[in-house]
Amino acid sequence: MEDYQVLIGLEMHCEISNTKTKVFSSAINGYSEEPNTHIAPLDMAFPGTLPVVNKEAIKLALKASMILHCEQPEYMYFERKNYYYPDLPKGYQITQETKPAPVGSYGYLDFDCKGKMTRVRINNIHLEEDAASSDHYPTFSTIDYNRAGVPLLELVTEPDLRSAEEAVAFLETMRSIYQYADISEADSRKGQIRCDVNVSIMDKDKDPSDPKNWGTKVEIKNVNSFGGVRDAINYEIERQIALKEEGKYEEMQQQTRRWDEDTFTTIYMRSKVDAIDYKYFVEPNIPKFKLSSTWLEEIRSSIPELAPERKEKYEKVYHLSEYDATILVKEKNVSDYYEKTIALGADPKGAANWITSVILGYLNKEEMDIKDLYLTPEMLFDLMNMVKEGKISSKQSKEVLNKVLELKKEPAVIVEELGMKQIGDDSLIRGIVVQLLDEHPDLIEDHRKGKNTFDFFVGQVMKATRGQANPSMTANIIREEMDKR
Ligand code: ADP
Ligand code: MG
């Protein structure tokens, strides 16, 4: 490993999930369990149907292009990529090849990889349509056209990534961008993200900025999870190094492989020599059209605060630790939840504590998205307020939260039902304390000798009040009463 450097280039596909309809038809753009329900005649290539470009999809694609510091084209156009496959009934995919110019060219992205800022050059980002999906059974196959025509962004990086960690950090940053910029949910569990991974190795002492020095690239197709990307890259690096050591790397041809999750290996599919000729040409049914500079400006100014800016705000304005800020911005839905809670007037540090220490733990355990959590930001705010106003103790508030989640009832209702009011009545607490001290003169003696019996008395008061005594009040009263003796 020490003798080599690694070059990795990614082709990342991400469905645009935030348009109402598909990219060229009026069918709903949305996931459905029920096959063939979100479809229009065009998605099945019925004769006589014609594509109509979805303006919103172009807008979101341009937004991504701008965030990636790409050049935007003067004209929008599409091309046909011709090939036959059952999930592609037209016999071609409408896409954008890199000439004359796709929705974005020659940009870059700076991203954080384990605390180190790293830059990757973007070759291009283009807009295309997704294909249908097929399922195979022992004696038959089925096709579901729900996915056919869903807008898809393909982003192609230069081979600037140098390790599996960098590749995954880049993909995570892209997912965050797609979410924060309201382009896509970017959920790999829903199959919205798919990657092709290109890997090569070269000698350590050669200059990687000169393409002449690059090794032979191996493309690994359709890796569906970030963990898969990491494992596929690490496996491929090992495999290529082994070939090199055996003196067989030089004769290796450019090839396409696939990642096999069962064997944890990459498997040979085809050589680049047999590359398919897609016979690209400009899609004649979609006239090219000029992008007005006012529209482009409008799109540019619609780019919202992204994760790095939110993180900075959390650290500088809300004084959260870098660790907490990082956790809160990781998923946009979580960050939105946090911001809503604060907008209601909650203490930023307190709200961050609740979310990072209790709520995220629960979501993790239940494998749930914060969007589906019964506890709304309003309820969290109410709960925090009850503690602040001394209605319940902070210990009780944890129990209330668990019950809210379990029984799906609002915090106030739970507090009522559990008869959980914090006792802040001086004479009531004092009565209990006086009685306790009377019962345990030996412990007061121990206390005077320097032994800690204080916690015992606090515990007894809590026990007597079923945890409802105001803790700081209890502590003060015990101190006062002990001093009197
Ligand atoms: P192709 O013509 O096979 O599609 P491209 O030049 O378009 O190849 O590159 C496709 C992807 O492969 C890009 O992400 C690019 O960064 C990456 N790539 C190109 N050459 C190499 C290499 N030698 N090692 C690793 N990745 C590479
Ligand atoms: Mg290419």
Side-chain angles (χ1 to χ4, degrees):
M1 183 72 210
E2 308 74 57
D3 302 334
Y4 307 103
Q5 42 188 333
V6 176
L7 299 192
I8 300 160
L10 296 174
E11 296 162 87
M12 177 191 196
H13 291 89
C14 182
E15 284 180 354
I16 295 181
S17 65
N18 294 8
T19 62
K20 287 201 190 75
T21 56
K22 292 182 177 177
V23 61
F24 301 122
S25 85
S26 58
I28 290 171
N29 174 20
Y31 182 77
S32 166
E33 290 285 337
E34 185 97 13
N36 296 312
T37 46
H38 293 170
I39 47 173
L42 181 94
D43 305 327
M44 293 167 295
F46 281 16
T49 54
L50 288 171
V52 177
V53 179
N54 181 336
K55 188 174 176 186
E56 188 64 15
I58 303 225
K59 181 181 144 188
L60 297 180
L62 285 165
K63 213 178 186 184
S65 162
M66 289 169 184
I67 294 170
L68 294 169
H69 311 95
C70 285
E71 294 165 19
Q72 289 77 50
E74 210 186 331
Y75 289 91
M76 269 308 275
Y77 77 98
F78 289 91
E79 279 180 309
R80 285 189 185 182
K81 178 178 181 176
N82 297 283
Y83 65 97
Y84 174 78
Y85 200 76
D87 69 12
L88 193 75
K90 297 196 298 299
Y92 57 85
Q93 178 194 31
I94 302 181
T95 178
Q96 300 184 299
E97 249 292 272
T98 49
K99 290 175 193 116
V103 76
S105 329
Y106 311 123
Y108 65 87
L109 181 69
D110 293 327
F111 65 98
D112 185 315
C113 179
K114 302 218 160 92
K116 186 171 156 265
M117 285 314 276
T118 307
R119 175 165 295 190
V120 61
R121 289 168 300 154
I122 307 295
N123 178 283
N124 75 85
I125 178 164
H126 57 270
L127 178 61
E128 56 190 27
E129 54 180 345
D130 208 344
S133 51
S134 42
D135 285 304
H136 303 289
Y137 299 90
T139 55
F140 64 96
S141 293
T142 57
I143 296 190
D144 177 4
Y145 290 100
N146 283 345
R147 206 179 72 181
V150 165
L152 191 65
L153 283 173
E154 176 173 354
L155 179 147
V156 183
T157 78
E158 297 294 344
D160 292 345
L161 301 158
R162 314 309 298 275
S163 67
E165 287 69 39
E166 275 190 15
V168 171
F170 168 77
L171 291 172
E172 279 174 348
T173 307
M174 279 313 304
R175 173 167 62 191
S176 159
I177 287 175
Y178 284 137
Q179 290 176 352
Y180 276 86
D182 289 322
I183 293 169
S184 177
E185 286 174 275
D187 188 343
S188 22
R189 286 171 304 183
K190 291 188 187 160
Q192 291 173 342
I193 298 179
R194 280 158 272 152
C195 296
D196 299 338
V197 184
N198 300 274
V199 184
S200 69
I201 56 169
M202 60 187 275
D203 292 342
K204 193 97 202 167
D205 50 12
K206 296 248 173 74
D207 175 11
S209 67
D210 182 355
K212 280 206 289 295
N213 292 330
W214 295 355
T216 308
K217 130 189 144 168
V218 168
E219 180 184 27
I220 310 155
K221 277 265 177 222
N222 268 323
V223 192
N224 294 333
S225 70
F226 293 176
V229 168
R230 182 196 59 225
D231 297 337
I233 291 173
N234 285 332
Y235 174 82
E236 195 52 32
I237 294 172
E238 295 281 317
R239 196 186 68 84
Q240 293 182 18
I241 289 177
L243 285 176
K244 195 95 164 185
E245 314 265 91
E246 293 165 30
K248 290 187 189 150
Y249 186 76
E250 272 62 35
E251 64 198 48
M252 182 183 80
Q253 282 182 337
Q254 256 200 42
Q255 58 190 262
T256 303
R257 303 177 73 91
R258 68 179 176 84
W259 174 241
D260 186 70
E261 284 192 332
D262 298 329
T263 58
F264 253 63
T265 59
T266 60
I267 295 175
Y268 180 87
M269 287 169 76
R270 58 178 180 264
S271 152
K272 251 316 191 209
V273 187
D274 313 317
I276 310 154
D277 180 356
Y278 293 112
K279 299 265 193 279
Y280 286 97
F281 60 86
V282 170
E283 165 59 53
N285 288 328
I286 304 174
K288 71 172 188 183
F289 56 93
K290 199 172 163 92
L291 295 172
S292 81
S293 53
T294 27
W295 194 46
L296 289 175
E297 268 328 298
E298 232 171 76
I299 296 172
R300 196 177 289 282
S301 58
S302 77
I303 296 172
E305 201 176 41
L306 303 177
E309 289 111 75
R310 282 206 193 177
K311 180 172 166 233
E312 194 178 322
K313 180 174 77 189
Y314 293 177
E315 288 180 62
K316 300 235 164 90
V317 184
Y318 301 154
H319 305 292
L320 303 187
S321 67
E322 205 221 326
Y323 183 77
D324 283 351
T326 307
I327 294 179
L328 286 173
V329 300
K330 191 159 190 272
E331 296 284 336
K332 176 170 189 268
N333 288 338
V334 173
S335 171
D336 284 348
Y337 186 100
Y338 176 59
E339 304 228 333
K340 270 187 211 139
T341 312
I342 292 182
L344 292 167
D347 164 51
K349 268 202 167 154
N353 266 339
W354 272 109
I355 295 172
T356 57
S357 65
V358 186
I359 295 177
L360 287 181
Y362 174 83
L363 293 172
N364 243 337
K365 199 175 85 216
E366 302 287 321
E367 293 185 5
M368 198 192 223
D369 192 292
I370 201 162
K371 281 201 319 284
D372 306 319
L373 188 70
Y374 174 74
L375 184 93
T376 59
E378 286 76 15
M379 293 184 209
L380 176 59
F381 176 61
D382 284 349
L383 188 63
M384 290 174 66
N385 256 348
M386 287 188 224
V387 180
K388 197 166 133 201
E389 288 165 4
K391 281 196 195 132
I392 55 172
S393 69
S394 77
K395 193 167 159 238
Q396 288 175 321
S397 67
K398 303 248 156 56
E399 196 187 331
V400 173
L401 183 92
N402 287 332
K403 289 278 177 210
V404 167
L405 296 173
E406 184 193 331
L407 304 172
K408 297 203 177 4
K409 289 179 180 171
E410 300 210 7
V413 176
I414 298 286
V415 167
E416 192 65 44
E417 284 183 2
L418 295 181
M420 229 185 211
K421 292 262 153 63
Q422 180 161 275
I423 299 169
D425 178 341
D426 184 294
S427 62
L428 203 149
I429 298 175
R430 201 172 294 271
I432 299 170
V433 170
V434 168
Q435 195 188 340
L436 273 169
L437 296 183
D438 287 346
E439 286 165 10
H440 299 284
D442 47 327
L443 294 182
I444 304 175
E445 199 49 41
D446 286 351
H447 174 74
R448 289 216 179 87
K449 289 183 191 147
K451 221 172 128 189
N452 179 11
T453 57
F454 187 79
D455 292 344
F456 168 80
F457 287 116
V458 174
Q460 289 300 306
V461 175
M462 287 302 167
K463 202 168 154 195
T465 59
R466 292 184 19 246
Q468 295 182 28
N470 180 318
S472 64
M473 202 170 202
T474 304
N476 285 337
I477 294 175
I478 297 175
R479 235 173 255 120
E480 283 166 26
E481 291 300 323
M482 273 188 167
D483 287 348
K484 282 190 200 156
R485 309 223 167 193

mmCIF file of all heavy atoms in Angstrom, residues 350-380:
data_model
loop_
_atom_site.group_PDB
_atom_site.id
_atom_site.type_symbol
_atom_site.label_atom_id
_atom_site.label_comp_id
_atom_site.label_asym_id
_atom_site.label_seq_id
_atom_site.Cartn_x
_atom_site.Cartn_y
_atom_site.Cartn_z
ATOM 1 N N GLY A 350 -30.430 23.749 25.832
ATOM 2 C CA GLY A 350 -31.330 22.749 26.401
ATOM 3 C C GLY A 350 -31.962 21.904 25.302
ATOM 4 O O GLY A 350 -31.993 20.672 25.385
ATOM 5 N N ALA A 351 -32.438 22.578 24.244
ATOM 6 C CA ALA A 351 -33.086 21.850 23.146
ATOM 7 C C ALA A 351 -32.085 20.911 22.481
ATOM 8 O O ALA A 351 -32.401 19.765 22.149
ATOM 9 C CB ALA A 351 -33.652 22.840 22.127
ATOM 10 N N ALA A 352 -30.850 21.387 22.304
ATOM 11 C CA ALA A 352 -29.815 20.541 21.684
ATOM 12 C C ALA A 352 -29.573 19.304 22.530
ATOM 13 O O ALA A 352 -29.448 18.202 22.013
ATOM 14 C CB ALA A 352 -28.522 21.338 21.519
ATOM 15 N N ASN A 353 -29.554 19.482 23.855
ATOM 16 C CA ASN A 353 -29.362 18.344 24.757
ATOM 17 C C ASN A 353 -30.445 17.304 24.605
ATOM 18 O O ASN A 353 -30.178 16.119 24.499
ATOM 19 C CB ASN A 353 -29.371 18.824 26.213
ATOM 20 C CG ASN A 353 -27.963 19.081 26.673
ATOM 21 O OD1 ASN A 353 -27.021 18.550 26.091
ATOM 22 N ND2 ASN A 353 -27.838 19.904 27.698
ATOM 23 N N TRP A 354 -31.683 17.783 24.618
ATOM 24 C CA TRP A 354 -32.812 16.857 24.473
ATOM 25 C C TRP A 354 -32.678 16.053 23.179
ATOM 26 O O TRP A 354 -32.862 14.843 23.165
ATOM 27 C CB TRP A 354 -34.130 17.628 24.442
ATOM 28 C CG TRP A 354 -34.716 17.859 25.791
ATOM 29 C CD1 TRP A 354 -34.794 19.043 26.461
ATOM 30 C CD2 TRP A 354 -35.314 16.876 26.646
ATOM 31 N NE1 TRP A 354 -35.402 18.857 27.682
ATOM 32 C CE2 TRP A 354 -35.732 17.535 27.821
ATOM 33 C CE3 TRP A 354 -35.531 15.495 26.534
ATOM 34 C CZ2 TRP A 354 -36.363 16.869 28.870
ATOM 35 C CZ3 TRP A 354 -36.165 14.833 27.571
ATOM 36 C CH2 TRP A 354 -36.573 15.516 28.729
ATOM 37 N N ILE A 355 -32.373 16.765 22.095
ATOM 38 C CA ILE A 355 -32.365 16.084 20.793
ATOM 39 C C ILE A 355 -31.195 15.124 20.684
ATOM 40 O O ILE A 355 -31.363 13.955 20.330
ATOM 41 C CB ILE A 355 -32.352 17.122 19.648
ATOM 42 C CG1 ILE A 355 -33.659 17.921 19.667
ATOM 43 C CG2 ILE A 355 -32.184 16.423 18.294
ATOM 44 C CD1 ILE A 355 -33.704 19.090 18.722
ATOM 45 N N THR A 356 -29.984 15.595 21.041
ATOM 46 C CA THR A 356 -28.820 14.725 20.835
ATOM 47 C C THR A 356 -28.793 13.574 21.835
ATOM 48 O O THR A 356 -28.404 12.468 21.486
ATOM 49 C CB THR A 356 -27.494 15.500 20.937
ATOM 50 O OG1 THR A 356 -27.451 16.136 22.205
ATOM 51 C CG2 THR A 356 -27.355 16.529 19.844
ATOM 52 N N SER A 357 -29.240 13.826 23.077
ATOM 53 C CA SER A 357 -29.066 12.754 24.051
ATOM 54 C C SER A 357 -30.272 11.830 24.167
ATOM 55 O O SER A 357 -30.104 10.648 24.436
ATOM 56 C CB SER A 357 -28.684 13.315 25.421
ATOM 57 O OG SER A 357 -29.741 14.085 25.920
ATOM 58 N N VAL A 358 -31.461 12.356 23.973
ATOM 59 C CA VAL A 358 -32.631 11.490 24.167
ATOM 60 C C VAL A 358 -33.322 11.128 22.850
ATOM 61 O O VAL A 358 -33.490 9.962 22.510
ATOM 62 C CB VAL A 358 -33.654 12.159 25.115
ATOM 63 C CG1 VAL A 358 -34.777 11.187 25.425
ATOM 64 C CG2 VAL A 358 -32.976 12.617 26.394
ATOM 65 N N ILE A 359 -33.687 12.151 22.088
ATOM 66 C CA ILE A 359 -34.539 11.911 20.908
ATOM 67 C C ILE A 359 -33.815 11.099 19.825
ATOM 68 O O ILE A 359 -34.363 10.127 19.298
ATOM 69 C CB ILE A 359 -35.065 13.259 20.351
ATOM 70 C CG1 ILE A 359 -35.988 13.884 21.406
ATOM 71 C CG2 ILE A 359 -35.795 13.060 19.031
ATOM 72 C CD1 ILE A 359 -36.530 15.238 21.057
ATOM 73 N N LEU A 360 -32.573 11.464 19.525
ATOM 74 C CA LEU A 360 -31.856 10.716 18.480
ATOM 75 C C LEU A 360 -31.625 9.262 18.880
ATOM 76 O O LEU A 360 -31.676 8.361 18.045
ATOM 77 C CB LEU A 360 -30.534 11.401 18.123
ATOM 78 C CG LEU A 360 -30.688 12.694 17.318
ATOM 79 C CD1 LEU A 360 -29.321 13.288 17.002
ATOM 80 C CD2 LEU A 360 -31.455 12.456 16.029
ATOM 81 N N GLY A 361 -31.407 9.043 20.163
ATOM 82 C CA GLY A 361 -31.239 7.678 20.656
ATOM 83 C C GLY A 361 -32.502 6.863 20.398
ATOM 84 O O GLY A 361 -32.444 5.738 19.914
ATOM 85 N N TYR A 362 -33.631 7.488 20.692
ATOM 86 C CA TYR A 362 -34.912 6.810 20.482
ATOM 87 C C TYR A 362 -35.136 6.520 18.987
ATOM 88 O O TYR A 362 -35.515 5.412 18.607
ATOM 89 C CB TYR A 362 -36.031 7.701 21.032
ATOM 90 C CG TYR A 362 -37.424 7.186 20.750
ATOM 91 C CD1 TYR A 362 -38.006 6.226 21.567
ATOM 92 C CD2 TYR A 362 -38.155 7.671 19.671
ATOM 93 C CE1 TYR A 362 -39.283 5.754 21.308
ATOM 94 C CE2 TYR A 362 -39.431 7.205 19.404
ATOM 95 C CZ TYR A 362 -39.996 6.244 20.226
ATOM 96 O OH TYR A 362 -41.255 5.773 19.955
ATOM 97 N N LEU A 363 -34.873 7.520 18.152
ATOM 98 C CA LEU A 363 -35.082 7.345 16.703
ATOM 99 C C LEU A 363 -34.201 6.220 16.155
ATOM 100 O O LEU A 363 -34.629 5.426 15.318
ATOM 101 C CB LEU A 363 -34.773 8.642 15.952
ATOM 102 C CG LEU A 363 -35.720 9.809 16.226
ATOM 103 C CD1 LEU A 363 -35.182 11.075 15.584
ATOM 104 C CD2 LEU A 363 -37.118 9.502 15.699
ATOM 105 N N ASN A 364 -32.969 6.190 16.653
ATOM 106 C CA ASN A 364 -32.036 5.155 16.230
ATOM 107 C C ASN A 364 -32.549 3.775 16.573
ATOM 108 O O ASN A 364 -32.533 2.864 15.753
ATOM 109 C CB ASN A 364 -30.705 5.359 16.964
ATOM 110 C CG ASN A 364 -29.618 5.657 15.976
ATOM 111 O OD1 ASN A 364 -29.737 5.301 14.806
ATOM 112 N ND2 ASN A 364 -28.565 6.297 16.436
ATOM 113 N N LYS A 365 -32.982 3.676 17.824
ATOM 114 C CA LYS A 365 -33.465 2.390 18.327
ATOM 115 C C LYS A 365 -34.679 1.933 17.523
ATOM 116 O O LYS A 365 -34.791 0.772 17.157
ATOM 117 C CB LYS A 365 -33.824 2.542 19.808
ATOM 118 C CG LYS A 365 -33.889 1.214 20.544
ATOM 119 C CD LYS A 365 -34.117 1.397 22.036
ATOM 120 C CE LYS A 365 -35.587 1.535 22.303
ATOM 121 N NZ LYS A 365 -36.064 2.398 23.306
ATOM 122 N N GLU A 366 -35.572 2.882 17.217
ATOM 123 C CA GLU A 366 -36.804 2.531 16.513
ATOM 124 C C GLU A 366 -36.632 2.555 14.990
ATOM 125 O O GLU A 366 -37.594 2.328 14.264
ATOM 126 C CB GLU A 366 -37.925 3.513 16.893
ATOM 127 C CG GLU A 366 -38.225 3.579 18.384
ATOM 128 C CD GLU A 366 -38.949 2.331 18.894
ATOM 129 O OE1 GLU A 366 -39.817 1.816 18.180
ATOM 130 O OE2 GLU A 366 -38.589 1.861 19.984
ATOM 131 N N GLU A 367 -35.428 2.897 14.524
ATOM 132 C CA GLU A 367 -35.155 3.059 13.088
ATOM 133 C C GLU A 367 -36.225 3.934 12.442
ATOM 134 O O GLU A 367 -36.902 3.555 11.502
ATOM 135 C CB GLU A 367 -35.098 1.687 12.399
ATOM 136 C CG GLU A 367 -33.902 0.881 12.867
ATOM 137 C CD GLU A 367 -33.743 -0.427 12.119
ATOM 138 O OE1 GLU A 367 -34.516 -0.660 11.175
ATOM 139 O OE2 GLU A 367 -32.833 -1.188 12.473
ATOM 140 N N MET A 368 -36.361 5.126 12.991
ATOM 141 C CA MET A 368 -37.445 6.004 12.618
ATOM 142 C C MET A 368 -36.885 7.355 12.179
ATOM 143 O O MET A 368 -35.809 7.751 12.618
ATOM 144 C CB MET A 368 -38.282 6.184 13.884
ATOM 145 C CG MET A 368 -39.648 6.696 13.702
ATOM 146 S SD MET A 368 -40.207 7.139 15.350
ATOM 147 C CE MET A 368 -41.807 6.493 15.290
ATOM 148 N N ASP A 369 -37.620 8.051 11.309
ATOM 149 C CA ASP A 369 -37.226 9.396 10.917
ATOM 150 C C ASP A 369 -37.884 10.398 11.867
ATOM 151 O O ASP A 369 -39.002 10.166 12.332
ATOM 152 C CB ASP A 369 -37.703 9.659 9.483
ATOM 153 C CG ASP A 369 -37.080 10.906 8.901
ATOM 154 O OD1 ASP A 369 -37.391 12.032 9.376
ATOM 155 O OD2 ASP A 369 -36.287 10.769 7.972
ATOM 156 N N ILE A 370 -37.190 11.484 12.146
ATOM 157 C CA ILE A 370 -37.721 12.475 13.091
ATOM 158 C C ILE A 370 -39.048 13.068 12.596
ATOM 159 O O ILE A 370 -39.876 13.493 13.384
ATOM 160 C CB ILE A 370 -36.662 13.575 13.389
ATOM 161 C CG1 ILE A 370 -36.971 14.287 14.711
ATOM 162 C CG2 ILE A 370 -36.556 14.565 12.234
ATOM 163 C CD1 ILE A 370 -35.819 15.054 15.297
ATOM 164 N N LYS A 371 -39.243 13.052 11.274
ATOM 165 C CA LYS A 371 -40.520 13.521 10.696
ATOM 166 C C LYS A 371 -41.700 12.726 11.251
ATOM 167 O O LYS A 371 -42.807 13.227 11.336
ATOM 168 C CB LYS A 371 -40.536 13.305 9.172
ATOM 169 C CG LYS A 371 -39.791 14.301 8.358
ATOM 170 C CD LYS A 371 -40.276 14.312 6.904
ATOM 171 C CE LYS A 371 -40.565 12.988 6.249
ATOM 172 N NZ LYS A 371 -39.437 12.195 5.826
ATOM 173 N N ASP A 372 -41.468 11.456 11.556
ATOM 174 C CA ASP A 372 -42.556 10.576 11.987
ATOM 175 C C ASP A 372 -42.663 10.480 13.509
ATOM 176 O O ASP A 372 -43.431 9.685 14.026
ATOM 177 C CB ASP A 372 -42.343 9.160 11.414
ATOM 178 C CG ASP A 372 -42.170 9.201 9.900
ATOM 179 O OD1 ASP A 372 -42.911 9.977 9.265
ATOM 180 O OD2 ASP A 372 -41.302 8.493 9.372
ATOM 181 N N LEU A 373 -41.890 11.314 14.201
ATOM 182 C CA LEU A 373 -41.900 11.266 15.661
ATOM 183 C C LEU A 373 -43.185 11.907 16.184
ATOM 184 O O LEU A 373 -43.587 12.976 15.719
ATOM 185 C CB LEU A 373 -40.675 12.037 16.185
ATOM 186 C CG LEU A 373 -40.402 11.949 17.673
ATOM 187 C CD1 LEU A 373 -39.925 10.551 18.034
ATOM 188 C CD2 LEU A 373 -39.341 12.972 18.074
ATOM 189 N N TYR A 374 -43.830 11.250 17.169
ATOM 190 C CA TYR A 374 -45.077 11.820 17.718
ATOM 191 C C TYR A 374 -44.796 13.161 18.413
ATOM 192 O O TYR A 374 -45.556 14.103 18.320
ATOM 193 C CB TYR A 374 -45.718 10.841 18.701
ATOM 194 C CG TYR A 374 -46.915 11.449 19.379
ATOM 195 C CD1 TYR A 374 -48.120 11.604 18.675
ATOM 196 C CD2 TYR A 374 -46.830 11.934 20.679
ATOM 197 C CE1 TYR A 374 -49.211 12.213 19.267
ATOM 198 C CE2 TYR A 374 -47.923 12.544 21.272
ATOM 199 C CZ TYR A 374 -49.109 12.676 20.570
ATOM 200 O OH TYR A 374 -50.182 13.301 21.148
ATOM 201 N N LEU A 375 -43.651 13.218 19.104
ATOM 202 C CA LEU A 375 -43.302 14.444 19.829
ATOM 203 C C LEU A 375 -42.913 15.556 18.852
ATOM 204 O O LEU A 375 -41.877 15.482 18.202
ATOM 205 C CB LEU A 375 -42.130 14.159 20.777
ATOM 206 C CG LEU A 375 -41.716 15.306 21.677
ATOM 207 C CD1 LEU A 375 -42.435 15.205 23.015
ATOM 208 C CD2 LEU A 375 -40.211 15.310 21.902
ATOM 209 N N THR A 376 -43.748 16.586 18.757
ATOM 210 C CA THR A 376 -43.457 17.695 17.852
ATOM 211 C C THR A 376 -42.537 18.706 18.554
ATOM 212 O O THR A 376 -42.390 18.657 19.787
ATOM 213 C CB THR A 376 -44.759 18.429 17.471
ATOM 214 O OG1 THR A 376 -45.354 18.894 18.696
ATOM 215 C CG2 THR A 376 -45.718 17.502 16.741
ATOM 216 N N PRO A 377 -41.934 19.633 17.787
ATOM 217 C CA PRO A 377 -41.145 20.687 18.441
ATOM 218 C C PRO A 377 -41.972 21.437 19.479
ATOM 219 O O PRO A 377 -41.467 21.814 20.539
ATOM 220 C CB PRO A 377 -40.751 21.604 17.275
ATOM 221 C CG PRO A 377 -40.711 20.690 16.092
ATOM 222 C CD PRO A 377 -41.819 19.700 16.316
ATOM 223 N N GLU A 378 -43.269 21.627 19.211
ATOM 224 C CA GLU A 378 -44.147 22.326 20.165
ATOM 225 C C GLU A 378 -44.191 21.562 21.489
ATOM 226 O O GLU A 378 -44.127 22.145 22.569
ATOM 227 C CB GLU A 378 -45.574 22.455 19.609
ATOM 228 C CG GLU A 378 -45.740 23.497 18.501
ATOM 229 C CD GLU A 378 -45.205 23.031 17.152
ATOM 230 O OE1 GLU A 378 -44.956 21.801 16.993
ATOM 231 O OE2 GLU A 378 -45.021 23.879 16.264
ATOM 232 N N MET A 379 -44.329 20.237 21.385
ATOM 233 C CA MET A 379 -44.407 19.430 22.611
ATOM 234 C C MET A 379 -43.093 19.453 23.376
ATOM 235 O O MET A 379 -43.078 19.508 24.609
ATOM 236 C CB MET A 379 -44.778 17.985 22.277
ATOM 237 C CG MET A 379 -46.179 17.813 21.735
ATOM 238 S SD MET A 379 -46.477 16.044 21.518
ATOM 239 C CE MET A 379 -47.651 16.065 20.177
ATOM 240 N N LEU A 380 -41.991 19.404 22.650
ATOM 241 C CA LEU A 380 -40.689 19.448 23.322
ATOM 242 C C LEU A 380 -40.542 20.775 24.063
ATOM 243 O O LEU A 380 -40.077 20.831 25.205
ATOM 244 C CB LEU A 380 -39.556 19.270 22.295
ATOM 245 C CG LEU A 380 -38.139 19.386 22.862
ATOM 246 C CD1 LEU A 380 -37.885 18.359 23.947
ATOM 247 C CD2 LEU A 380 -37.091 19.230 21.753
#
